[in-house]
Amino acid sequence: MTDVLVLHAVLPREDDAGLAATLLAQLPYGRRLELERRDTAARLASLAGIALVLAGAGRLRGRRVETGQLRFPLGGKPMLTGGPWFSVSHSGNRVAAALSDRGDVGLDLEDAPAGNAAADPETTASLGRWTATEAV
């Protein structure tokens, strides 16, 4: 049994919208409307997260998981009927999903600083504080 499975990918580009449209059409009506109101980049990021959740849940269950098993309760955290629990996060460049069949899970994805900023102690400390805050 897997404690936590983490899948990640580069965020899709706007020219990947055709693939996302198929997934969007399979979502419950309310969720589809919500995503259609977002700008293209935000919509694609959310759909990429959903795709990772479906792929990860399929791995944990040992069989394909259908989009219709996703639930998006009003004001609540999305869930899969019959589990697993999952969390999705995306940064400016990547999307990730953490899934667990043992209990609720949380994930926060941040882009690490690049170049000279990566060596800056203040930048590193700031990212460390943010990560600790999110973990709590």
Side-chain angles (χ1 to χ4, degrees):
M1 181 180 288
T2 301
D3 288 336
V4 178
L5 173 66
V6 178
L7 302 175
H8 60 94
V10 174
L11 281 173
R13 300 179 319 263
E14 289 192 27
D15 55 349
D16 296 327
L19 297 172
T22 303
L23 179 56
L24 183 66
Q26 296 171 2
L27 293 174
Y29 179 71
R31 183 64 173 175
R32 189 170 63 243
L33 285 180
E34 179 189 335
L35 291 177
E36 287 173 342
R37 290 184 184 117
R38 295 182 184 178
D39 65 68
T40 303
R43 182 173 48 256
L44 289 174
S46 291
L47 290 168
I50 290 169
L52 288 177
V53 166
L54 294 172
R59 287 184 189 180
L60 291 176
R61 290 183 179 179
R63 67 187 186 298
R64 181 180 164 94
V65 175
E66 299 297 327
T67 309
Q69 293 175 286
L70 282 165
R71 300 289 177 255
F72 300 92
L74 188 60
K77 185 176 178 180
M79 58 182 281
L80 267 168
T81 303
W85 290 272
F86 65 89
S87 178
V88 175
S89 181
H90 46 83
S91 66
N93 301 318
R94 300 194 67 78
V95 59
L99 301 98
S100 176
D101 51 10
R102 293 198 166 201
D104 206 1
V105 63
L107 172 71
D108 185 37
L109 183 64
E110 298 292 333
D111 287 326
N116 291 338
D120 176 37
E122 181 57 34
T123 301
T124 304
S126 176
L127 184 57
R129 284 189 301 273
W130 175 255
T131 303
T133 300
E134 285 293 304
V136 171

